[in-house]
Amino acid sequence: MDQAPATVKRQCVGVDCENEAGTLQCPKCLELEKESFFCSQDCFKRSWATHKGMHKTNASGHYNPFPSFSFTGSLRPVYPLSPKRAVPAHINRPDYSEDGNPKSERKFVGRNNIKVLDKKEQEGMRKACRIGREVLDIVAREIRPGVTTDYLDEITHNASIERNSYPSPLNYVHFPKSVCTSVNEVICHGIPDQRVLLDGDIINIDVSVYHGGFHGDLNETYYVGPKASADPDIVRLVETTRECLDQGIQLVKPGMLFRDIGGVIEKHAKSRGCGVVKTYCGHGINQLFHTVPNVPHYAKNKAVGTAKPGMCFTIEPMITLGTYKDKTWPDDWTSVTQDGSKTAQFEHTLLVTETGVEVLTARLSDSPGGTIPIPDTRRDG
């Protein structure tokens, strides 16, 4: 999971309104326990004819909480969200688990001191990352047309708890779920809900666990059903993204400049006709979920720092079929491409060694998913 937005601002749900929301809420939505904030009374009145449509629910009780929002693609949120999942008292928790405030992280904002882990801390990272890999593989085996992303969240949560681990995304800056599920045009931070996966979708599962005082973080993008893996553009996107991560990892060794990773990734993405998201980046990880260094995935960035043995960080490129520019849904988390084009992401947690790099979240021999050939769409003659 990449870093949360630096500041979380609620957007007005008024029709064609891009203002920041105030405290005004629709009275009917409050009765229905739905969230809808407006910037002003005038905006609320102007939007009423459209907004009142969200008060209607279908037979299943599902609804779109943001009916007046200008979505960029075909994906829509399907609410209500399931209740917050419980974490047993014996599970060790990060400092944000109760109030959503990662206080330890915020002590390091603006600093460039990159932590070097000792041997005991490195072993702690290995354990957390091994558990993260186990959990991701368990969830990935459940991906198929017909299941909801909320079901995948339940699987993630239970698998984490069974391994005496806290699902790191849960209540991180008030994120409501235990995993990020990003479908089709969602770049990152997708919130699991009642939407059913369809044949032809792609989905990124971003798993992070907190175990023994350390976070392990990884994600992969998976094809949903045979239609997705048979679509040349989707395969080009997913496999290019996978290769971008691999090529970034190949650079890692003592003395590497963190700013150099982005150049390799962007060059490969552009060679396949793809874009590179610039808003989100890889990050340092250890006892803190997100910390220095920042690891941008685009060229000519100004990232600070040099790799040294004992440093842990993620590389997690987000690659698109269209524009690299993003837009955030009114839930203040779900980031999507501005043109609605599909996007993919892969992530590993890495440890710099004396001679190179150790991929702490590496795939296992039986991990689901994996590489498929990119179709050759060139025509003779």
Side-chain angles (χ1 to χ4, degrees):
M1 183 179 185
D2 47 275
Q3 299 182 63
T7 56
V8 178
K9 295 182 179 180
R10 185 182 287 116
Q11 183 175 338
C12 176
V13 298
V15 176
D16 295 328
C17 182
E18 297 183 356
N19 293 335
E20 183 178 343
T23 58
L24 175 67
Q25 295 193 63
C26 167
K28 184 64 175 177
C29 287
L30 284 172
E31 289 178 20
L32 298 172
E33 298 183 344
K34 298 179 180 180
E35 187 176 282
S36 59
F37 289 85
F38 292 83
C39 62
S40 67
Q41 188 70 36
D42 287 342
C43 186
F44 174 60
K45 290 179 179 178
R46 178 174 55 81
S47 305
W48 175 249
T50 299
H51 173 74
K52 64 183 179 181
M54 77 174 292
H55 300 149
K56 301 175 183 178
T57 58
N58 57 32
S60 68
H62 296 163
Y63 62 93
N64 173 4
F66 316 118
S68 58
F69 179 69
S70 180
F71 292 92
T72 64
S74 60
L75 195 74
R76 298 291 182 273
V78 181
Y79 278 43
L81 299 182
S82 59
K84 182 181 178 182
R85 304 192 194 281
V87 177
H90 72 274
I91 300 290
N92 188 28
R93 302 156 189 251
D95 65 356
Y96 54 82
S97 64
E98 296 300 325
D99 64 5
N101 178 19
K103 296 173 281 292
S104 298
E105 287 185 12
R106 287 176 173 160
K107 294 177 183 177
F108 291 87
V109 171
R111 301 185 189 180
N112 292 318
N113 248 354
I114 303 171
K115 184 177 178 68
V116 173
L117 304 182
D118 61 29
K119 296 299 182 182
K120 184 177 180 180
E121 290 172 319
Q122 291 175 29
E123 192 53 42
M125 283 298 299
R126 288 190 182 93
K127 182 67 179 294
C129 288
R130 282 196 297 268
I131 292 172
R133 168 51 66 183
E134 290 177 15
V135 173
L136 178 60
D137 287 355
I138 288 168
V139 179
R141 291 188 181 99
E142 298 297 320
I143 295 172
R144 63 181 65 88
V147 306
T148 65
T149 50
D150 183 69
Y151 172 70
L152 300 178
D153 178 73
E154 180 182 9
I155 297 295
T156 303
H157 187 88
N158 292 342
S160 299
I161 298 303
E162 288 166 4
R163 288 157 179 78
N164 290 314
S165 302
Y166 182 94
S168 300
L170 185 61
N171 210 33
Y172 178 77
V173 196
H174 307 292
F175 188 81
K177 293 297 177 181
S178 297
V179 68
C180 297
T181 53
S182 300
V183 178
N184 295 341
E185 68 263 29
V186 179
I187 296 167
C188 59
H189 300 159
I191 297 175
D193 61 14
Q194 309 305 324
R195 183 187 181 274
V196 172
L197 294 179
L198 305 175
D199 187 6
D201 286 342
I202 53 174
I203 181 170
N204 178 271
I205 305 291
D206 194 339
V207 165
S208 310
V209 299
Y210 182 71
H211 181 91
F214 295 88
H215 294 272
D217 192 4
L218 72 162
N219 73 56
E220 293 192 25
T221 299
Y222 301 91
Y223 303 98
V224 181
K227 286 185 180 179
S229 55
D231 185 307
D233 286 331
I234 290 178
V235 174
R236 171 168 58 90
L237 169 67
V238 173
E239 299 307 322
T240 296
T241 309
R242 194 192 312 270
E243 293 167 3
C244 282
L245 173 58
D246 291 343
Q247 292 195 16
I249 292 172
Q250 289 174 15
L251 282 185
V252 181
K253 61 182 179 180
M256 177 205 69
L257 301 178
F258 289 109
R259 66 173 181 253
D260 288 346
I261 294 172
V264 170
I265 289 173
E266 182 169 323
K267 180 179 179 180
H268 187 62
K270 286 187 172 180
S271 75
R272 295 276 179 76
C274 296
V276 180
V277 173
K278 298 183 178 181
T279 302
Y280 305 97
C281 62
H283 54 89
I285 184 169
N286 39 64
Q287 291 94 335
L288 303 178
F289 193 4
H290 300 97
T291 185
V292 291
N294 288 332
V295 186
H297 305 114
Y298 58 91
K300 298 179 181 178
N301 64 78
K302 297 180 180 179
V304 175
T306 302
K308 296 179 182 178
M311 290 180 175
C312 265
F313 63 95
T314 71
I315 302 177
E316 45 187 300
M318 288 146 271
I319 307 301
T320 67
L321 279 177
T323 183
Y324 68 87
K325 296 181 179 180
D326 59 280
K327 180 178 182 178
T328 303
W329 283 4
D331 60 22
D332 297 322
W333 278 105
T334 307
S335 178
V336 296
T337 53
Q338 284 190 10
D339 59 2
S341 62
K342 284 186 170 62
T343 175
Q345 183 186 16
F346 287 85
E347 174 185 22
H348 277 309
T349 295
L350 310 169
L351 170 66
V352 184
T353 67
E354 294 291 342
T355 57
V357 62
E358 181 179 346
V359 182
L360 300 182
T361 49
R363 289 174 56 83
L364 306 175
S365 60
D366 62 345
S367 292
T371 305
I372 67 174
I374 299 177
D376 186 351
T377 57
R378 294 173 298 180
R379 297 183 179 180
D380 295 333

mmCIF file of all heavy atoms in Angstrom, residues 346-363:
data_model
loop_
_atom_site.group_PDB
_atom_site.id
_atom_site.type_symbol
_atom_site.label_atom_id
_atom_site.label_comp_id
_atom_site.label_asym_id
_atom_site.label_seq_id
_atom_site.Cartn_x
_atom_site.Cartn_y
_atom_site.Cartn_z
ATOM 1 N N PHE A 346 2.093 -3.515 -9.333
ATOM 2 C CA PHE A 346 2.756 -4.610 -8.625
ATOM 3 C C PHE A 346 3.688 -3.995 -7.591
ATOM 4 O O PHE A 346 4.255 -2.917 -7.824
ATOM 5 C CB PHE A 346 3.557 -5.501 -9.586
ATOM 6 C CG PHE A 346 2.695 -6.386 -10.449
ATOM 7 C CD1 PHE A 346 2.166 -5.906 -11.640
ATOM 8 C CD2 PHE A 346 2.408 -7.687 -10.068
ATOM 9 C CE1 PHE A 346 1.360 -6.707 -12.435
ATOM 10 C CE2 PHE A 346 1.609 -8.503 -10.856
ATOM 11 C CZ PHE A 346 1.084 -8.017 -12.042
ATOM 12 N N GLU A 347 3.864 -4.702 -6.464
ATOM 13 C CA GLU A 347 4.686 -4.159 -5.378
ATOM 14 C C GLU A 347 5.425 -5.280 -4.658
ATOM 15 O O GLU A 347 4.880 -6.355 -4.406
ATOM 16 C CB GLU A 347 3.795 -3.435 -4.368
ATOM 17 C CG GLU A 347 4.530 -2.954 -3.119
ATOM 18 C CD GLU A 347 3.590 -2.352 -2.087
ATOM 19 O OE1 GLU A 347 2.383 -2.664 -2.109
ATOM 20 O OE2 GLU A 347 4.079 -1.561 -1.250
ATOM 21 N N HIS A 348 6.671 -4.995 -4.303
ATOM 22 C CA HIS A 348 7.441 -5.845 -3.400
ATOM 23 C C HIS A 348 8.075 -4.987 -2.311
ATOM 24 O O HIS A 348 8.391 -3.808 -2.528
ATOM 25 C CB HIS A 348 8.559 -6.578 -4.143
ATOM 26 C CG HIS A 348 8.120 -7.830 -4.831
ATOM 27 N ND1 HIS A 348 7.405 -8.829 -4.218
ATOM 28 C CD2 HIS A 348 8.327 -8.256 -6.118
ATOM 29 C CE1 HIS A 348 7.176 -9.812 -5.073
ATOM 30 N NE2 HIS A 348 7.722 -9.490 -6.228
ATOM 31 N N THR A 349 8.272 -5.602 -1.129
ATOM 32 C CA THR A 349 9.112 -5.006 -0.100
ATOM 33 C C THR A 349 10.521 -5.569 -0.254
ATOM 34 O O THR A 349 10.700 -6.783 -0.392
ATOM 35 C CB THR A 349 8.571 -5.323 1.307
ATOM 36 O OG1 THR A 349 7.296 -4.697 1.468
ATOM 37 C CG2 THR A 349 9.511 -4.799 2.380
ATOM 38 N N LEU A 350 11.502 -4.687 -0.237
ATOM 39 C CA LEU A 350 12.883 -5.048 -0.551
ATOM 40 C C LEU A 350 13.817 -4.712 0.611
ATOM 41 O O LEU A 350 13.621 -3.718 1.310
ATOM 42 C CB LEU A 350 13.342 -4.283 -1.801
ATOM 43 C CG LEU A 350 12.407 -4.353 -3.008
ATOM 44 C CD1 LEU A 350 12.837 -3.345 -4.064
ATOM 45 C CD2 LEU A 350 12.374 -5.761 -3.578
ATOM 46 N N LEU A 351 14.837 -5.530 0.767
ATOM 47 C CA LEU A 351 15.903 -5.286 1.741
ATOM 48 C C LEU A 351 17.222 -5.171 0.993
ATOM 49 O O LEU A 351 17.609 -6.084 0.249
ATOM 50 C CB LEU A 351 15.977 -6.437 2.751
ATOM 51 C CG LEU A 351 17.190 -6.442 3.700
ATOM 52 C CD1 LEU A 351 17.142 -5.248 4.643
ATOM 53 C CD2 LEU A 351 17.246 -7.757 4.486
ATOM 54 N N VAL A 352 17.914 -4.055 1.162
ATOM 55 C CA VAL A 352 19.236 -3.880 0.553
ATOM 56 C C VAL A 352 20.236 -4.730 1.329
ATOM 57 O O VAL A 352 20.312 -4.655 2.559
ATOM 58 C CB VAL A 352 19.673 -2.406 0.563
ATOM 59 C CG1 VAL A 352 21.014 -2.245 -0.165
ATOM 60 C CG2 VAL A 352 18.615 -1.511 -0.088
ATOM 61 N N THR A 353 20.996 -5.557 0.604
ATOM 62 C CA THR A 353 22.014 -6.411 1.218
ATOM 63 C C THR A 353 23.401 -5.870 0.894
ATOM 64 O O THR A 353 23.550 -4.884 0.164
ATOM 65 C CB THR A 353 21.882 -7.852 0.710
ATOM 66 O OG1 THR A 353 22.224 -7.886 -0.688
ATOM 67 C CG2 THR A 353 20.461 -8.377 0.906
ATOM 68 N N GLU A 354 24.432 -6.532 1.396
ATOM 69 C CA GLU A 354 25.806 -6.102 1.127
ATOM 70 C C GLU A 354 26.152 -6.197 -0.358
ATOM 71 O O GLU A 354 26.985 -5.448 -0.866
ATOM 72 C CB GLU A 354 26.793 -6.965 1.929
ATOM 73 C CG GLU A 354 26.687 -6.795 3.438
ATOM 74 C CD GLU A 354 27.151 -5.439 3.916
ATOM 75 O OE1 GLU A 354 27.874 -4.741 3.162
ATOM 76 O OE2 GLU A 354 26.802 -5.059 5.053
ATOM 77 N N THR A 355 25.516 -7.130 -1.054
ATOM 78 C CA THR A 355 25.858 -7.369 -2.465
ATOM 79 C C THR A 355 24.746 -7.022 -3.444
ATOM 80 O O THR A 355 24.961 -7.063 -4.651
ATOM 81 C CB THR A 355 26.235 -8.847 -2.672
ATOM 82 O OG1 THR A 355 25.140 -9.675 -2.250
ATOM 83 C CG2 THR A 355 27.472 -9.207 -1.862
ATOM 84 N N GLY A 356 23.555 -6.696 -2.962
ATOM 85 C CA GLY A 356 22.452 -6.446 -3.888
ATOM 86 C C GLY A 356 21.151 -6.241 -3.145
ATOM 87 O O GLY A 356 21.010 -5.306 -2.355
ATOM 88 N N VAL A 357 20.184 -7.145 -3.383
ATOM 89 C CA VAL A 357 18.853 -6.951 -2.830
ATOM 90 C C VAL A 357 18.215 -8.298 -2.512
ATOM 91 O O VAL A 357 18.441 -9.289 -3.213
ATOM 92 C CB VAL A 357 17.959 -6.154 -3.803
ATOM 93 C CG1 VAL A 357 17.774 -6.911 -5.123
ATOM 94 C CG2 VAL A 357 16.601 -5.823 -3.193
ATOM 95 N N GLU A 358 17.419 -8.316 -1.458
ATOM 96 C CA GLU A 358 16.603 -9.480 -1.116
ATOM 97 C C GLU A 358 15.135 -9.075 -1.245
ATOM 98 O O GLU A 358 14.698 -8.088 -0.640
ATOM 99 C CB GLU A 358 16.900 -9.935 0.315
ATOM 100 C CG GLU A 358 16.099 -11.154 0.749
ATOM 101 C CD GLU A 358 16.429 -11.586 2.168
ATOM 102 O OE1 GLU A 358 17.452 -11.126 2.730
ATOM 103 O OE2 GLU A 358 15.652 -12.387 2.734
ATOM 104 N N VAL A 359 14.383 -9.809 -2.056
ATOM 105 C CA VAL A 359 12.955 -9.530 -2.232
ATOM 106 C C VAL A 359 12.212 -10.256 -1.113
ATOM 107 O O VAL A 359 11.997 -11.465 -1.171
ATOM 108 C CB VAL A 359 12.462 -9.989 -3.618
ATOM 109 C CG1 VAL A 359 10.980 -9.648 -3.796
ATOM 110 C CG2 VAL A 359 13.294 -9.330 -4.723
ATOM 111 N N LEU A 360 11.815 -9.520 -0.095
ATOM 112 C CA LEU A 360 11.234 -10.125 1.096
ATOM 113 C C LEU A 360 9.836 -10.692 0.850
ATOM 114 O O LEU A 360 9.386 -11.566 1.585
ATOM 115 C CB LEU A 360 11.175 -9.099 2.232
ATOM 116 C CG LEU A 360 12.518 -8.503 2.677
ATOM 117 C CD1 LEU A 360 12.295 -7.540 3.835
ATOM 118 C CD2 LEU A 360 13.505 -9.596 3.068
ATOM 119 N N THR A 361 9.153 -10.174 -0.165
ATOM 120 C CA THR A 361 7.781 -10.620 -0.464
ATOM 121 C C THR A 361 7.729 -11.442 -1.753
ATOM 122 O O THR A 361 6.708 -11.487 -2.438
ATOM 123 C CB THR A 361 6.854 -9.395 -0.600
ATOM 124 O OG1 THR A 361 7.474 -8.429 -1.482
ATOM 125 C CG2 THR A 361 6.608 -8.741 0.748
ATOM 126 N N ALA A 362 8.822 -12.100 -2.086
ATOM 127 C CA ALA A 362 8.919 -12.829 -3.362
ATOM 128 C C ALA A 362 7.822 -13.879 -3.505
ATOM 129 O O ALA A 362 7.349 -14.465 -2.529
ATOM 130 C CB ALA A 362 10.286 -13.501 -3.459
ATOM 131 N N ARG A 363 7.415 -14.104 -4.743
ATOM 132 C CA ARG A 363 6.436 -15.141 -5.045
ATOM 133 C C ARG A 363 6.989 -16.519 -4.685
ATOM 134 O O ARG A 363 8.198 -16.755 -4.776
ATOM 135 C CB ARG A 363 6.069 -15.111 -6.532
ATOM 136 C CG ARG A 363 5.221 -13.908 -6.924
ATOM 137 C CD ARG A 363 5.015 -13.845 -8.439
ATOM 138 N NE ARG A 363 4.417 -15.070 -8.941
ATOM 139 C CZ ARG A 363 3.107 -15.353 -8.927
ATOM 140 N NH1 ARG A 363 2.254 -14.486 -8.413
ATOM 141 N NH2 ARG A 363 2.656 -16.482 -9.425
#
